[in-house]
Amino acid sequence: MEGMTAPQVAPTETPDIEEVPVGDLPWVTVVHNDPVNLMSYVTWVFQRLFGYSENKAHKLMLDVHHKGRAVVSSGTREKMEHDASRLHAYGLWATVSHD
């Protein structure tokens, strides 16, 4: 068996695919009504933090005011926790939940 070489095995390459586990989506950030902040202020915060148009921000604010809550963003858990933290910094009551 001299002169025979062992077969070469080439490593298989796995493509770099970024997979988001099903459990990670959809998370949402919910803003809740409070007796402290003015409606105009809440509208302004939504525009400032999320870049929403005045109309969209106003509609979300009305949902908060009349329905007691509104979903203002959705995505990964980490992103929603970040959004809630930013809303807290502006004095709004926000929570994160798994939709």
Side-chain angles (χ1 to χ4, degrees), residues 2 5 9 14 17 19 30 32 39 43-44 48 56 61 63-64 74-76 79 82-86 89 95 98:
E2 283 184 52
T5 59
V9 178
T14 55
I17 300 174
E19 292 184 19
V30 179
H32 302 271
M39 291 187 286
T43 301
W44 177 82
R48 175 138 176 119
K56 181 171 182 167
M61 175 278 299
D63 284 349
V64 171
S74 64
T76 64
K79 173 77 169 82
H82 179 68
D83 286 352
S85 176
R86 294 184 331 160
T95 58
H98 200 272

Side-chain angles (χ1 to χ4, degrees), residues 43 46-47 52-62:
T43 301
F46 292 165
Q47 288 179 274
Y52 293 152
S53 68
E54 185 174 355
N55 286 341
K56 181 171 182 167
H58 185 76
K59 181 194 174 308
L60 289 169
M61 175 278 299
L62 287 176

Side-chain angles (χ1 to χ4, degrees), residues 4-82:
M4 296 190 80
T5 59
Q8 296 290 321
V9 178
T12 59
E13 290 186 29
T14 55
D16 291 334
I17 300 174
E18 185 175 335
E19 292 184 19
V20 178
V22 174
D24 282 356
L25 292 175
W27 286 83
V28 294
T29 303
V30 179
V31 173
H32 302 271
N33 195 24
D34 66 59
V36 178
N37 292 298
L38 296 173
M39 291 187 286
S40 59
Y41 176 73
V42 174
T43 301
W44 177 82
V45 171
F46 292 165
Q47 288 179 274
R48 175 138 176 119
L49 289 185
F50 302 110
Y52 293 152
S53 68
E54 185 174 355
N55 286 341
K56 181 171 182 167
H58 185 76
K59 181 194 174 308
L60 289 169
M61 175 278 299
L62 287 176
D63 284 349
V64 171
H65 182 69
H66 294 296
K67 297 176 183 177
R69 64 188 294 257
V71 172
V72 297
S73 62
S74 64
T76 64
R77 180 178 179 180
E78 292 77 18
K79 173 77 169 82
M80 297 307 93
E81 288 173 350
H82 179 68

